[in-house]
Amino acid sequence: MRSLIGLLILAAAPALAADQPATAPEAAKEKLICKREVPIGSLIATRKICLTQTQWRKRTDDGNATARQLVEDGAGACGKDGGVCPF
């Protein structure tokens, strides 16, 4: 009985592997780069984040785009929309 179950599992393995996306081998080629980050508001705690070079680049680009958009929109600008600066 155990050998029958083992054979069924082995027979199903290629079918299961075929269901995986084609990008899996490409992602496996890219090496993970791990960095430690300190969460905002913490002086002690750190977290380890491991991403590929492409993912790190996208994360940086997204952050830069967000900062650029805030500056262009004038978010947080003193006196925006007729407001008065507190200082």
Side-chain angles (χ1 to χ4, degrees):
M1 183 68 171
R2 287 184 182 172
S3 62
L4 179 61
I5 293 172
L7 287 175
L8 289 174
I9 292 172
L10 289 176
L16 293 174
D19 292 340
Q20 293 179 352
T23 58
E26 294 173 6
K29 291 179 186 176
E30 253 189 290
K31 186 170 96 172
L32 284 180
I33 300 169
C34 297
K35 297 181 182 180
R36 291 206 175 273
E37 291 188 348
V38 177
I40 294 175
S42 175
L43 298 176
I44 300 171
T46 62
R47 61 180 169 218
K48 184 177 177 181
I49 300 176
C50 297
L51 301 171
T52 63
Q53 181 65 35
T54 304
Q55 292 169 325
W56 280 115
R57 189 174 299 118
K58 182 179 181 338
R59 188 173 177 183
T60 301
D61 292 345
D62 290 348
N64 288 342
T66 300
R68 189 175 301 108
Q69 189 65 39
L70 286 171
V71 169
E72 290 173 358
D73 290 347
C78 193
K80 184 177 188 313
D81 297 330
V84 179
C85 293
F87 46 89

